[in-house]
Amino acid sequence: MRVPSFAQFGTHPRFRFTDNKKNLGFAGANNKFFRDSDSEFVMPLNPDTVMPPDYLSRLLIAFIDPLVAAAEGKMLKPEPLPDGLWILDGTGMTVSRARRARERGN
């Protein structure tokens, strides 16, 4: 397994890379990321995520509403169909009052 380095991600002063030294699992790594961040907004991503250049600026508009605490976009399958149409892979999550998350629309 190749270990990521700063050379792969750049040296912008707002970028922070942390080697956790061990696999914390998806939730464990994200929770550590949230705890360690001092940012107003955080955006954890899977390594295969592809976003249009304006994705984050468009997503942040949701936070104009003070009742919004989280936002995400719709997900498309990685490749379009032969006819060029894209398949919707998810429209986000909802969280119940009991704090249980589930796929929206199911």
Side-chain angles (χ1 to χ4, degrees), residues 3 7 11 16 18 20 26 28 35 38 46 50 55 58 63-65 74-75 80 86-87 93 96 98 101-102 104:
V3 177
T11 57
R16 289 192 314 240
T18 302
N20 291 321
F26 182 80
R35 276 192 312 271
D38 59 359
N46 288 338
V50 177
Y55 178 80
R58 293 178 65 193
F63 295 97
I64 292 171
D65 181 340
K74 64 182 174 184
M75 296 176 287
W86 291 87
I87 297 175
M93 305 291 288
S96 72
R102 67 177 180 84
R104 193 174 88 181

Side-chain angles (χ1 to χ4, degrees), residues 49-78:
T49 301
V50 177
M51 300 181 301
D54 64 343
Y55 178 80
L56 291 177
S57 60
R58 293 178 65 193
L59 186 70
L60 288 172
I61 293 169
F63 295 97
I64 292 171
D65 181 340
L67 297 177
V68 172
E72 61 183 311
K74 64 182 174 184
M75 296 176 287
L76 303 175
K77 293 283 187 182

Side-chain angles (χ1 to χ4, degrees), residues 19-39:
D19 182 353
N20 291 321
K21 306 292 186 212
K22 66 179 183 174
N23 186 344
L24 303 177
F26 182 80
N30 280 314
N31 286 336
K32 183 177 184 307
F33 172 67
F34 297 143
R35 276 192 312 271
D36 293 351
S37 176
D38 59 359
S39 298

